Amino acid sequence: GAGVSQTPSNKVTEKGKYVELRCDPISGHTALYWYRQSLGQGPEFLIYFQGTGAADDSGLPNDRFFAVRPEGSVSTLKIQRTERGDSAMYLCASSSVSGSTDTQYFGPGTRLTVL
Amino acid sequence: GQNIDQPTEMTATEGAIVQINCTYQTSGFNGLFWYQQHAGEAPTFLSYNVLDGLEEKGRFSSFLSRSKGYSYLLLKELQMKDSASYLCAVSPTSGTYKYIFGTGTRLKVLA
């Protein structure tokens, strides 16, 4: 079946602008995660949704970052007043969470560049 | 704190065997995962260990020792397409299922 999809694949914006990144998880997966990956680093956790609610948002770096998942499927990561330091690959993953260690499956990512 | 350590880079020859080590110190442990990531692409799941011992999957095997906070990924019969970064990730706590990732090991396979 279809995997995790993310749009856009690339986003170039100017400092101070607002951006939205979209994630469509694997059908039936109730858990959804956002990670951020800088060049040469491993992914860093941002936020985790179980259904519609954010179960853990401890990784969001500051209040410019916000994410929603209003119907428990598609999620949008929103970044206000973007800064050059926000440039990174933003990865979304989903899992079925039938147990405590369900495998997370990643989407292709959105590469964000803030000029 | 949470810490995952992996070598930054490794080089091996086509057809050979390579072992990529990972050590971890986390607040809890609910499983360890290995992912493969080609440049510019998403991580792809390779293996999962939650109990001590070796898990084998074709050319790839993964080992875990929880008492030592140690895992390794073993790649046999290396192929050029195995050139990629290999990420070690730990699920540290129950109740929230975020992963803590290492920085990844960049493997170069030479002809």
Side-chain angles (χ1 to χ4, degrees):
Chain A
V4 178
S5 62
Q6 292 186 246
T7 54
S9 54
N10 277 287
K11 176 71 178 177
V12 179
T13 191
E14 293 179 343
K15 182 175 180 292
K17 300 287 189 184
Y18 167 82
V19 296
E20 291 190 350
L21 313 179
R22 176 188 165 109
C23 172
D24 206 333
I26 292 171
S27 178
H29 278 190
T30 57
L32 185 147
Y33 311 78
W34 284 98
Y35 291 85
R36 178 168 71 174
Q37 186 175 26
S38 301
L39 204 60
Q41 301 295 314
E44 290 180 292
F45 170 78
L46 295 176
I47 186 168
Y48 154 58
F49 287 90
Q50 179 58 263
T52 59
D56 183 352
D57 63 359
S58 62
L60 294 177
N62 52 59
D63 61 6
R64 295 187 297 107
F65 288 73
F66 188 70
V68 296
R69 195 185 184 201
E71 296 177 359
S73 178
V74 170
S75 175
T76 305
L77 178 66
K78 308 179 180 194
I79 310 174
Q80 298 176 321
R81 304 183 304 279
T82 51
E83 299 177 357
R84 294 197 178 88
D86 299 335
S87 295
M89 176 74 88
Y90 288 81
L91 294 166
C92 175
S94 70
S95 70
S96 61
V97 196
S98 60
S100 65
T101 49
D102 279 288
T103 300
Q104 295 179 21
Y105 295 93
F106 285 82
T110 293
R111 180 162 295 287
L112 175 66
T113 303
V114 181
L115 300 176
Chain B
Q2 323 267 38
N3 196 46
I4 313 267
D5 283 319
Q6 307 178 235
T8 306
E9 274 194 14
M10 298 183 72
T11 303
T13 305
E14 197 175 16
I17 298 173
V18 71
Q19 178 175 313
I20 302 174
N21 295 324
C22 170
T23 57
Y24 63 90
Q25 293 174 302
T26 55
S27 56
F29 183 80
N30 269 339
L32 186 142
F33 299 80
W34 284 96
Y35 284 81
Q36 180 190 60
Q37 187 176 30
H38 286 99
E41 298 182 11
T44 304
F45 170 73
L46 289 177
S47 69
Y48 159 64
N49 296 70
V50 68
L51 299 177
D52 290 352
L54 189 68
E55 293 283 340
E56 296 189 77
K57 254 189 185 183
R59 294 191 299 116
F60 293 9
S61 303
S62 56
F63 171 83
L64 175 68
S65 168
R66 288 172 296 169
S67 62
K68 294 181 180 176
Y70 168 69
S71 173
Y72 68 73
L73 180 69
L74 194 71
L75 292 74
K76 303 175 190 173
E77 301 167 17
L78 279 173
Q79 302 175 9
M80 300 297 287
K81 67 179 182 180
D82 297 329
S83 293
S85 283
Y86 291 85
L87 299 165
C88 174
V90 171
S91 178
T93 61
S94 60
T96 178
Y97 308 126
K98 65 184 178 185
Y99 290 178
I100 308 298
F101 280 88
T103 55
T105 298
R106 198 160 51 248
L107 174 66
K108 294 181 188 176
V109 180
L110 305 176

